[in-house]
Amino acid sequence: MAIPFVLAGCATVSHRAPTPSAVRPAPTPAWAFERSDLAPDPAFRFGRLANGMAYVIRPNATPKGTVQVRMDVAAGSLDESAQERGFAHFVEHMAFNGSTRVPEGEMVRLLERKGLAFGADTNAQTNFEQTTYMLDLPRNDADLVDTALMLMRETASELTFSPEAVARERGVVLSELRDGQGYALDNLKDQLAFLYPQATYPQRLPIGTVATIDGATAQTLKAFWQAHYVPANTTLVVVGDVDPAAIEQAIRTRFGDWAPRTAPPRPDEGRVDPSLRGKTEVWLDPALAERVAVSRHGPWLDEPDTMAQRRENLLRQIGYGIVNRRLQSLSRQADPPFRGAGFGTSDVFHIARTTNLLIDTPDGHWARGLASAAQVWRTALRDGFTRAEVDEQLANLKTGIVNAAAGEATRSNGTLTALVLSLLHDDMVPTTPASALARFTAFAPTITPETVLAALRREAVPLDRPLIRFQGRKAPAGGAAALRRTWQQALRGPDRNVAPGAVALATTTFAYTDFGPPGAVVADSTDPQFGIRRIRFANGVMLNLKRTSLEADRIHVRVAIDGGDMLETRDQPLRVDMASSLPAGGLGRHSVDALQTLLAGHAVGSGFASNADTFNAGGATTRADLLLQLQLIAAYVTDPGYRPEAEVAFHQNMSNYFARVRATPGSALSASLGGILSANDPRFTLQPPAAYQALTFAGLKQAIADRLAHGAIEVALVGDFDEAQAITAVATTLGALPAREPAFGAWAEARRRSFTPQRGLSVVRHKGAANQAIVRMVWPTTDESDPVQTLTMDLVEQVAGLEVIENVREKLGKAYSPGASSDMARAWPGWGTFTLQASVDVADVAATRAALLETVHELAAAPVDADILARARAPMLERLDNALKGNGGWLGLAERAQSQPDRLARFAAARARLKALTPADLQAAVRRWLAPDKAVTVLVLPEGAPAPAS
């Protein structure tokens, strides 16, 4: 569900964040590009049938042999009356429950037999203005494409709405509504009521209400569907490896006889009053982090997508980017005034625009944060920007545009589909990246600090006598009056050095370019089956190369360093918990803030994380920036900065985590499960809050310094690169480091992990809605060392998932998304789990437990039904067939191709092994691992709710 900017997070605020698209009184009769001087990508084929239904076709071969089909219906929750709240979403659910040609319950099963997994490949979503049905076809064969078009037509005009199906699905919809309850939704509703009291959409959240969903009947749902699902409201989108002429003819054949009807006009969307000002509100909840939102409304600006408007938007983007960069710099200080802050403006449909300044602060620190952010806003809008700040933003924008143009020929189906939906929802012309580069190149030289400031002022609503809303755990000292007073004082007070701005790009250079003499290659071979080249340097660093043409000028870099969570012990279970904060500490010679400026205009990443037995670093880059990317990684390996500002951010984030850890059933379960399953092994158990506050970079440095200096390193490069240049780049960076350990450590003692000996029932308490509960059953299995056994349990997972959906979701109507999962470890010998889970009403816990147990009993009592087995196995086979059509799949093979070469052999044999599995194999696995008395059952219940005896 898209929401206005004011509700978005502060961490990465940008102009025109995702927002509700414009409310239209009726579907636009012509394509947006027909009213624009921007030319659409000529590879798109746009058309409209005589009945008014539109279609868009785009041939594309990334990934090869796959197709995305979307049916977008311009009907959402804003089309509902007060008595129909939630109907658009309810109808979306009913689309999978039977039609003229497809019996009830068979639509999903039909697709599963053809290799589509429900949820992953078969899905739909409803928002304020549209309902979109989505099929991701793993193959482009004519039969599957025809089936997809047939099912879309059935949804468009042939749904049956049997009373029995409506009654069953009602429970599922109510379950989805129940699962969404909690502090976040309550806060959202209050924000909307405060900011937009006269607008309709705060009263039309797509999920609806219990009363209106309970009141929905087959007749009233069908009436809503018939009124709004009309050809003129519908656009069919087909993107993928297809013949556009053949698809166009198939669409005409399948949809041409759909009789046209006139949809009713959209109800009044209400209004947003630009004169609304001076109001202040305080909203409290124990789970809410402290935030102050300063807002003003202005009239909606009617700005069609044109060349001139894109130039204006570019100027605005730079302006908002500079203000947010200044705010970000302040948040990175050793004693920051706020945790994060953001400034931006967004449309509220077609009825208004809202400018917001959001400030996130540690509890009780709102006044300092508000005052500092107010001064940044005031000085920026008054005094403007420096040339260096504009240049930094331009450098980053140019890099993104240049790289997009370089990769134009290998854009993914998903990227192209998103362009079409942006056209349908927001009237954005789907232009080519090359044309965007040409426009940017022509316009960039004319951009000045003055033109940027002028554009920002034209859109941003002045924050005079703004709306001020506080949210948090404790009321601000002095209440609403203190909030207003602090804002006014900040505007009147003297200027302080709160926004130093960016460092000039030309005055500083990256300090980490020399790591010693380039490393010599001492071993070089190529895997004959997958073509992964395996190199070893004299210092022990391993390099795995896989060239692909799947993404033009895109290179994925993954570095594994021996250690990771293996460094943690029972006595020191949090030794590496701060590892992911390492990049925020910068480098020895550059702070992270300075790095952001130094690296402006370059496509590099600085991710770092601790995994089970490795530390992992990497990013996605280009040919031009590959050396810099590797230099950056090598710099973090040899000279991390460990600056205190990152420590501060870590401790603030942990404080917020513990304040809300029991606020929802899901977070409470996540916090408790590790300890329950491991018999409170400290390495897998959430520790007290004080233990995390005691963590320091000094401790992290002591823990990981040896691994960074000596641990085995394995590098994987996957993508569009020159092999000789890539080898040289690694040789002069990681390959030039002092000698490393030649192999990853055994870590025999650290790998010991045992499943709790206790079986039966454990109860976890949460502080969320009183009707929310989770039932989770977990069995111990084993590790993944036996590839056939691992695949068998993966297939059991798929089968059990289908059965649980049938038993808990469809028959009982008790849960929205029950499921199963198998997790068999590589890092922990003998460790594995199998899980069944459902989120349900507290009143349905007993029935749900019984249904989950019955699922296991059925799987153990008799071989799985042939049809269920086929429906479970087909999507798995398709995933295997398509795994190497993207660089992500290749990266998974290449990242440990030397230290774990069995991965290659396992993948090569997986399809044949999966096809060979029989119902008897699955039954035997269930009997071996999933005996009912071996399960740990975890119930997550609200505080005060009675727990069952066993």
Side-chain angles (χ1 to χ4, degrees):
M1 179 178 66
I3 53 179
F5 170 87
V6 70
L7 308 177
C10 278
T12 54
V13 175
S14 61
H15 172 54
R16 301 292 185 186
T19 62
S21 54
V23 171
R24 305 181 186 91
T28 304
W31 304 105
F33 54 79
E34 295 175 339
R35 305 183 302 277
S36 173
D37 53 1
L38 292 164
D41 181 343
F44 285 101
R45 180 176 293 203
F46 302 94
R48 197 176 297 274
L49 303 181
N51 59 14
M53 191 191 91
Y55 59 86
V56 184
I57 305 166
R58 177 54 157 85
N60 188 59
T62 306
K64 186 175 177 60
T66 65
V67 186
Q68 289 190 344
V69 180
R70 303 287 185 266
M71 186 171 73
D72 194 74
V73 183
S77 59
L78 280 173
D79 293 287
E80 300 163 353
S81 68
Q83 294 73 37
E84 295 172 327
R85 295 178 64 178
F87 276 28
H89 176 247
F90 204 149
V91 166
E92 172 215 307
H93 276 247
M94 293 306 301
F96 299 98
N97 277 280
S99 63
T100 302
R101 298 184 57 184
V102 183
E104 183 183 334
E106 281 300 311
M107 181 178 290
V108 172
R109 294 171 185 170
L110 172 64
L111 291 168
E112 288 168 343
R113 295 178 192 115
K114 293 179 178 292
L116 281 73
F118 184 63
D121 308 308
T122 307
N123 214 327
Q125 63 181 22
T126 303
N127 60 28
F128 290 104
E129 298 184 278
Q130 50 269 145
T131 304
T132 306
Y133 296 89
M134 300 170 281
L135 295 176
D136 289 350
L137 309 184
R139 305 181 311 281
N140 61 348
D141 63 74
D143 174 70
L144 184 55
V145 173
D146 183 66
T147 298
L149 296 181
M150 180 272 290
L151 293 176
M152 292 301 190
R153 174 60 194 275
E154 293 292 292
T155 299
S157 65
E158 304 300 320
L159 298 182
T160 50
F161 292 94
S162 78
E164 297 78 13
V166 169
R168 281 190 294 271
E169 199 64 28
R170 188 192 322 277
V172 176
V173 176
L174 288 171
S175 296
E176 187 177 354
L177 185 154
R178 181 196 62 243
D179 289 352
Q181 292 176 328
Y183 73 93
L185 181 61
D186 292 342
N187 186 47
L188 166 63
K189 289 179 177 179
D190 182 76
Q191 289 180 71
L192 298 179
F194 174 69
L195 289 170
Y196 307 110
Q198 296 175 288
T200 300
Y201 89 94
Q203 304 301 320
R204 293 294 184 274
L205 298 184
I207 193 61
T209 69
V210 172
T212 53
I213 293 169
D214 271 338
T217 67
Q219 182 178 1
T220 56
L221 289 172
K222 187 172 185 178
F224 181 89
W225 167 74
Q226 287 181 324
H228 297 283
Y229 280 54
V230 301
N233 267 358
T234 305
T235 304
L236 193 74
V237 181
V238 180
V239 176
D241 201 353
V242 296
D243 174 2
I247 293 296
E248 184 173 36
Q249 183 56 50
I251 291 171
R252 293 185 178 278
T253 300
R254 183 67 67 180
F255 290 86
D257 62 350
W258 184 12
R261 297 193 309 276
T262 300
R266 179 161 284 166
D268 179 29
E269 65 266 28
R271 63 188 295 267
V272 175
D273 185 1
S275 67
L276 185 64
R277 61 176 66 185
K279 291 175 56 181
T280 308
E281 184 191 61
V282 174
W283 176 265
L284 302 179
D285 190 284
L288 280 175
E290 191 167 280
R291 166 179 287 185
V292 181
V294 181
S295 310
R296 273 298 310 276
H297 305 313
W300 174 69
L301 302 176
D302 187 4
E303 299 174 330
D305 189 20
T306 63
M307 290 187 188
Q309 188 57 48
R310 290 201 180 185
R311 290 193 293 270
E312 178 78 359
N313 291 343
L314 179 62
L315 294 171
R316 292 173 180 171
Q317 184 176 358
I318 293 169
Y320 288 109
I322 294 171
V323 177
N324 286 308
R325 180 73 171 88
R326 291 181 181 181
L327 293 168
Q328 186 181 56
S329 293
L330 285 179
S331 72
R332 289 169 168 169
Q333 293 181 350
D335 181 24
F338 40 68
R339 293 190 300 112
F343 176 62
T345 301
S346 61
D347 289 339
V348 185
F349 302 99
H350 268 188
I351 55 178
R353 73 186 193 277
T354 300
T355 294
N356 304 278
L357 178 63
L358 309 181
I359 308 99
D360 289 337
T361 53
D363 288 355
H365 291 255
W366 63 268
R368 181 186 176 205
L370 177 59
S372 296
Q375 287 209 339
V376 171
W377 167 79
R378 182 184 71 168
T379 57
L381 272 292
R382 183 191 66 197
D383 302 335
F385 314 119
T386 67
R387 183 72 244 181
E389 289 178 307
V390 172
D391 286 345
E392 180 176 317
Q393 297 294 319
L394 278 172
N396 288 324
L397 288 167
K398 181 179 179 180
T399 296
I401 294 169
V402 168
N403 291 342
E408 181 173 321
T410 54
R411 285 177 291 172
S412 68
N413 289 343
T415 297
L416 295 169
T417 297
L419 288 177
V420 179
L421 295 180
S422 183
L423 169 67
L424 301 180
H425 302 165
D426 301 310
D427 287 337
M428 296 300 295
V429 179
T431 58
T432 65
S435 69
L437 177 58
R439 288 190 298 273
F440 178 86
T441 301
F443 183 57
T446 71
I447 296 174
T448 66
E450 292 74 23
T451 59
V452 169
L453 179 61
L456 189 60
R457 287 173 172 170
R458 281 192 290 270
E459 185 190 47
V461 184
L463 298 177
D464 58 301
R465 294 191 60 206
L467 306 172
I468 301 178
R469 184 179 185 275
F470 175 93
Q471 66 182 53
R473 302 179 183 100
K474 297 180 180 179
L483 288 165
R484 181 71 51 183
R485 184 168 56 250
T486 300
W487 174 261
Q488 295 301 332
Q489 289 174 348
L491 298 188
R492 292 193 300 266
D495 291 344
R496 291 178 291 181
N497 185 26
V498 296
V503 178
L505 294 177
T507 61
T508 309
T509 58
F510 186 58
Y512 298 89
T513 57
D514 185 0
F515 297 92
V521 173
V522 296
D524 189 348
S525 64
T526 300
D527 166 69
Q529 186 163 17
F530 295 103
I532 297 174
R533 189 173 176 185
R534 297 170 294 198
I535 290 169
R536 184 180 284 269
F537 293 94
N539 68 346
V541 168
M542 294 167 275
L543 169 62
N544 306 318
L545 301 170
K546 177 58 187 181
R547 286 188 61 198
T548 75
S549 57
L550 299 171
E551 297 174 89
D553 196 27
R554 197 71 171 165
I555 306 166
H556 297 263
V557 182
R558 183 78 55 84
V559 177
I561 305 170
D562 185 43
D565 295 349
M566 293 296 154
L567 300 181
E568 297 184 333
T569 66
R570 288 176 176 269
D571 293 333
Q572 294 180 291
L574 304 178
R575 288 189 79 201
V576 299
D577 270 50
M578 288 187 69
S580 61
S581 297
L582 193 72
L587 297 170
R589 298 177 66 180
H590 304 302
S591 70
V592 69
D593 206 54
L595 277 173
Q596 185 169 339
T597 295
L598 285 171
L599 301 176
H602 296 283
V604 295
S606 58
F608 190 88
S610 179
N611 294 313
D613 55 5
T614 61
F615 297 105
N616 289 93
T621 187
T622 63
R623 287 190 177 209
D625 285 327
L626 176 59
L627 176 59
L628 180 60
Q629 173 69 79
L630 291 164
Q631 288 171 340
L632 182 63
I633 293 172
Y636 273 109
V637 171
T638 57
D639 190 27
Y642 298 110
R643 282 181 170 76
E645 53 264 34
E647 277 188 11
V648 171
F650 174 84
H651 292 146
Q652 290 177 346
N653 289 336
M654 291 309 301
S655 293
N656 272 324
Y657 169 77
F658 277 102
R660 63 174 183 267
V661 69
R662 304 287 170 183
T664 66
S667 60
L669 175 63
S670 177
S672 303
L673 189 63
I676 292 171
L677 299 184
S678 68
N680 294 317
D681 183 332
R683 298 173 297 164
F684 310 106
T685 303
L686 186 69
Q687 298 300 299
Y692 296 90
Q693 295 302 325
L695 294 177
T696 65
F697 265 158
L700 179 67
K701 182 177 181 179
Q702 184 180 32
I704 70 174
D706 174 74
R707 294 297 81 205
L708 294 183
H710 304 113
I713 289 181
E714 189 163 9
V715 184
L717 302 183
V718 171
D720 183 16
F721 53 81
D722 177 273
E723 288 193 11
Q725 292 175 353
I727 294 168
T728 298
V730 176
T732 59
T733 53
L734 296 168
L737 302 181
R740 317 290 302 189
E741 293 168 359
F744 287 81
W747 302 101
E749 182 60 31
R751 291 185 190 277
R752 295 182 184 274
R753 182 177 184 180
S754 58
F755 197 88
T756 178
Q758 182 179 346
R759 297 298 186 267
L761 183 65
S762 294
V763 176
V764 172
R765 297 292 180 174
H766 72 84
K767 299 180 180 180
N771 62 347
Q772 292 176 331
I774 294 175
V775 180
R776 188 178 183 111
M777 303 183 69
V778 185
W779 286 263
T781 57
T782 189
D783 60 58
E784 66 160 26
S785 57
D786 181 339
V788 175
Q789 183 170 245
T790 303
L791 272 175
T792 302
M793 292 308 293
D794 287 344
L795 186 52
V796 170
E797 171 192 323
Q798 299 302 312
V799 169
L802 295 178
E803 296 284 21
V804 167
I805 288 175
E806 179 67 21
N807 292 338
V808 178
R809 174 177 166 135
E810 301 302 330
K811 289 182 180 179
L812 296 180
K814 301 298 186 186
Y816 170 58
S817 56
S821 64
S822 175
D823 181 12
M824 304 176 83
R826 176 179 283 266
W828 316 102
W831 176 269
T833 59
F834 190 91
T835 301
L836 297 180
Q837 177 173 313
S839 176
V840 297
D841 193 289
V842 171
D844 296 323
V845 165
T848 302
R849 289 179 67 189
L852 295 179
L853 280 173
E854 180 61 25
T855 298
V856 175
H857 281 300
E858 291 172 352
L859 293 175
V864 63
D865 175 79
D867 181 63
I868 292 176
L869 179 58
R871 288 161 47 206
R873 179 158 38 200
M876 294 179 68
L877 292 171
E878 294 293 350
R879 286 195 291 271
L880 285 170
D881 290 343
N882 288 327
L884 301 184
K885 293 180 180 179
N887 280 329
W890 281 112
L891 192 60
L893 282 184
E895 63 180 344
R896 301 294 296 274
Q898 293 188 61
S899 59
Q900 296 176 354
D902 64 299
R903 291 179 181 230
L904 306 184
R906 288 168 73 113
F907 183 82
R911 197 179 202 285
R913 287 169 172 166
L914 182 58
K915 289 191 69 174
L917 293 175
T918 67
D921 293 328
L922 272 61
Q923 183 184 21
V926 171
R927 289 177 171 178
R928 178 180 182 185
W929 298 113
L930 307 186
D933 62 343
K934 299 297 184 183
V936 172
T937 299
V938 182
L939 300 185
V940 187
L941 302 174
E943 291 183 338
S950 61

